[in-house]
Amino acid sequence: VAPTIGLHVPARARHAPHGMVFESHQNSVFGARAFFQVGGLKPAHDNQYGFAVEAPLWRGAYLSLATNQQKTRGMVNGNVLVPLPSERTPLATDPALRAYVQLILGAYPDQIPNRTDIDPRMLNTNSPQRVDGQNWSAHFDQQIGSRDKLAFQYGYLGQKVIAFQLVAGQNPDTTGVSNDGRVTWHRQWTPATSTSATVAFDRTTSLLAPSKDNLGPSINAGGLQGLGPPPDVPGYRADNLFREGVRVRHEHGTHTFVFGFEIARRQFNGFRSDSSRPTVAFIADSQNDAITNLRLGLPYSMVIAVGDLSAGFRSWEMSYYAGDTWRAGSNLTLSYGLRYQPSPAPNEVNHPGAIPYGCDCNNLAPQVGIAYRLPGAAGVLRAGYGLQYGPILPSSYAWIRSNPPANNVLMIQQPNLIQALTAAGGTSFAGAAQGRPFLTILDPNMVLPYSHLYNLGWERELRGSWHVQLGYTGSRAFKLIM
C-alpha cells in the first residue's frame, strides 16, 4: 500500500472566484489574567491576519493562494535560583578577573528572592518573549486536453522566536523555515486507468543561536541557575529532500488496484556539538562552597569541543507498493496490500566510512482491512492490521560527527578563568587534556524500527439520530532506537 503521507498533489474541486480576509487581536487588557505572573499585569498581545483567494485564470487554469502571519508578544513566568544580596560582590582581587566575575553576577536579575518558602535563593519572575510566524501556500492546476492535468503546489512556513531570559542568555533564539514544492502530472489513460507522477523538493532549516545577552560560555555553579543556553548551541541544520514517485490506479470489475513507487534522496547538512561552547563549572571544595568559588573566580573545570563540527550526510529512502480494494459483495469490502521499504545506510561526505551498519533490505510491510455489514440491523464490523516501518533519522546517527579524530572534547582542570576563555576563541589550550574520549557508537546491526498496528470496531445505528460505536486499537513496536 502507499505511504500514509501522500506525495502526489491532489486535483482540487473548482469553484467560482471567492476569497476571504481575516484579522484577530487579543491583548492582556481584555484577556483573562495569567495565574502565573508576578506583580502587576504585564502587557501582552497576539495579532493574526491573512487572506485566501481562489479563482480561474484562463481556460483550464485555476489558482488558489493563502497566507497568514502571527505576531505574539507576551511574558513567561518561572522560578530561578539567584545569588543572595550578600553574594552579589566579587571576591577576586585581580582587576580583570574581578570584572568578569561581576559580569557573571550581573547576569542574574537584580531582584531579591521571593519564594524563600521553597529555597532561600528562589526567585519567581517574568521575562518577555517574542514570536513571529508566517505561512504561505499556493496551488495551481492546468487542464491539458481531456486527459491530462498538471498540478503545482508550494508551501512556506517560517517562525522566529526571541526567547525569554529569566537569567541572561538562558535560552537560545530559534529560526525555522520550511519550503515544500511539488509538481504532479495526472493522466487519465482510460476510464478505468489513471496515473500520477510527481517530483518534489522539501527543504527545512533551523538555527539555534545564543541570545545577544549571553556571556559566551555556559556557567554552572552549584546552588544557582545555570547561565547561558545548553553547550550544544549554536546549532544549524539544513535538510534537503528530493522526492519522485509514480502511482497507477486501475479499476477492474469489483477490484481497484493501486501500485507504484516513491524514491527520495536526503541531504542533511549542518553543524552542532554537545560542547561547541565552553562550559565552565564552579563546585564546592574543602575550603569554599560553589558560590564562594564563583565570587573568587576559581572554576573547577572547563569543557569545550574543538575540530570540524560540520556534517554532510546523504541517504536514500525507497518504497515500492501494491494494493487492492475488493468489493466482494454488497455487504463486504476487503483491502489488502504489500509495501517493500529497503533502507540503505547513509554516508558522510566529510568523513567517509563513519557509518558502521549496512542496508536494511528485507522490510516487507503487509496491510489488510475488512468492512462487513452484519445481517439485519446488527451494524457494521471493521477490522484492520498493518505493519509500519519508521525511519532512522539524521538526529539519531548525525552525532557520530563529534567523534575523534575529527573532533575532540577537551577538559581543563582548575583553569585560569581569563586565560581559558581567551584560549577558547583560538586554538591553544594550556593545561587541556583529552583523556578518554566520549564516543557516540552506532550499532553495526542498526535496522529500521517497526510497529504492528491493529484495530477492531463495531458500530450500529439506533433509533432517531442515535448510534453506538465500540472500538479497540493496539500496537506493538520493536527495535526502537534509544
Side-chain angles (χ1 to χ4, degrees):
V1 292
T4 304
I5 301 177
L7 169 66
H8 307 286
V9 181
R12 293 192 174 185
R14 300 191 175 193
H15 308 280
H18 66 281
M20 60 171 286
V21 177
F22 73 92
E23 195 277 337
S24 68
H25 174 76
Q26 181 179 359
N27 62 48
S28 53
V29 176
F30 299 101
R33 176 183 172 86
F35 179 77
F36 295 103
Q37 200 168 92
V38 178
L41 183 65
K42 307 299 181 183
H45 64 265
D46 179 87
N47 289 308
Q48 299 187 43
Y49 47 88
F51 73 86
V53 62
E54 296 186 7
L57 297 182
W58 51 78
R59 183 175 181 178
Y62 194 80
L63 176 68
S64 63
L65 294 172
T67 182
N68 65 79
Q69 290 190 340
Q70 178 181 13
K71 296 185 180 295
T72 302
R73 308 292 184 267
M75 304 295 291
V76 177
N77 177 266
N79 295 321
V80 291
L81 297 175
V82 302
L84 300 173
S86 59
E87 299 170 336
R88 298 279 182 153
T89 304
L91 300 178
T93 56
D94 178 79
L97 183 58
R98 183 180 181 88
Y100 191 78
V101 172
Q102 185 62 68
L103 188 65
I104 295 175
L105 296 173
Y108 292 94
D110 188 17
Q111 305 172 51
I112 62 174
N114 56 13
R115 292 306 309 269
T116 54
D117 55 315
I118 301 176
D119 189 282
R121 295 183 176 85
M122 181 165 288
L123 170 68
N124 184 267
T125 187
N126 309 301
S127 176
Q129 179 165 271
R130 171 178 173 176
V131 180
D132 293 329
Q134 57 180 320
N135 183 14
W136 289 85
S137 64
H139 187 108
F140 175 75
D141 288 335
Q142 176 65 64
Q143 186 73 38
I144 305 174
S146 60
R147 294 185 176 184
D148 300 285
K149 177 183 288 186
L150 288 177
F152 301 83
Q153 181 175 289
Y154 172 73
Y156 170 88
L157 179 64
Q159 185 182 71
K160 184 172 184 178
V161 179
I162 305 300
F164 69 93
Q165 312 295 341
L166 300 177
V167 297
Q170 178 184 12
N171 294 304
D173 298 330
T174 61
T175 302
V177 176
S178 174
N179 292 273
D180 177 4
R182 52 188 79 188
V183 181
T184 296
W185 170 41
H186 298 284
R187 170 78 171 181
Q188 191 73 40
W189 297 92
T190 69
T193 304
S194 63
T195 59
S196 298
T198 298
V199 293
F201 174 67
D202 302 341
R203 176 176 171 85
T204 303
T205 62
S206 62
L207 173 66
L208 281 73
S211 62
K212 295 181 179 180
D213 61 349
N214 84 96
L215 297 178
S218 295
I219 306 292
N220 295 325
L224 296 177
Q225 177 72 35
L227 298 176
D232 60 352
V233 175
Y236 172 77
R237 62 176 289 177
D239 197 351
N240 299 322
L241 190 63
F242 301 86
R243 304 171 67 190
E244 304 84 29
V246 174
R247 180 186 62 199
V248 180
R249 176 187 172 95
H250 176 70
E251 296 184 4
H252 180 74
T254 58
H255 294 268
T256 300
F257 299 101
V258 176
F259 53 93
F261 69 89
E262 295 182 12
I263 298 177
R265 175 67 167 173
R266 182 183 297 275
Q267 298 177 343
F268 178 84
N269 302 305
F271 65 86
R272 196 170 186 182
S273 169
D274 58 357
S275 301
S276 57
R277 295 168 54 255
T279 299
V280 179
F282 295 87
I283 68 172
D285 56 26
S286 59
Q287 297 179 341
N288 303 309
D289 59 28
I291 298 176
T292 300
N293 280 330
L294 169 62
R295 298 171 66 196
L296 289 167
L298 300 177
Y300 170 75
S301 66
M302 185 181 85
V303 178
I304 186 172
V306 294
D308 180 11
L309 303 179
S310 62
F313 290 94
R314 306 292 183 263
S315 62
W316 291 97
E317 300 173 8
M318 307 176 208
S319 179
Y320 307 89
Y321 58 88
D324 175 29
T325 300
W326 178 27
R327 297 175 296 281
S330 60
N331 62 344
L332 175 64
T333 300
L334 297 174
S335 62
Y336 46 90
L338 182 66
R339 185 173 66 255
Y340 175 51
Q341 192 173 335
S343 178
N347 68 288
E348 218 284 334
V349 296
N350 299 320
H351 310 288
I355 303 295
Y357 59 89
C359 179
D360 184 12
C361 293
N362 60 349
N363 301 325
L364 294 175
Q367 181 172 311
V368 61
I370 181 175
Y372 178 61
R373 181 173 295 278
L374 300 170
V380 177
L381 183 69
R382 305 178 193 275
Y385 163 79
L387 191 151
Q388 296 287 337
Y389 287 91
I392 302 177
L393 296 173
S395 57
S396 295
Y397 57 73
W399 286 102
I400 64 170
R401 68 183 183 273
S402 61
N403 287 340
N407 292 281
N408 291 283
V409 177
L410 305 180
M411 173 176 285
I412 306 173
Q413 297 284 355
Q414 298 179 336
N416 179 293
L417 186 59
I418 300 300
Q419 291 181 1
L421 294 178
T422 301
T427 58
S428 62
F429 290 87
Q434 180 181 343
R436 293 184 177 180
F438 178 85
L439 300 177
T440 298
I441 302 297
L442 299 178
D443 191 330
N445 298 314
M446 181 89 78
V447 294
L448 299 186
Y450 62 91
S451 294
H452 298 281
L453 309 174
Y454 36 88
N455 66 81
L456 176 65
W458 171 79
E459 58 183 286
R460 180 190 174 191
E461 294 183 357
L462 304 178
R463 293 181 179 180
S465 58
W466 291 85
H467 72 277
V468 61
Q469 186 178 62
L470 299 175
Y472 166 80
T473 63
S475 66
R476 292 193 68 190
F478 297 88
K479 300 183 179 180
L480 299 176
I481 301 173
M482 300 295 292

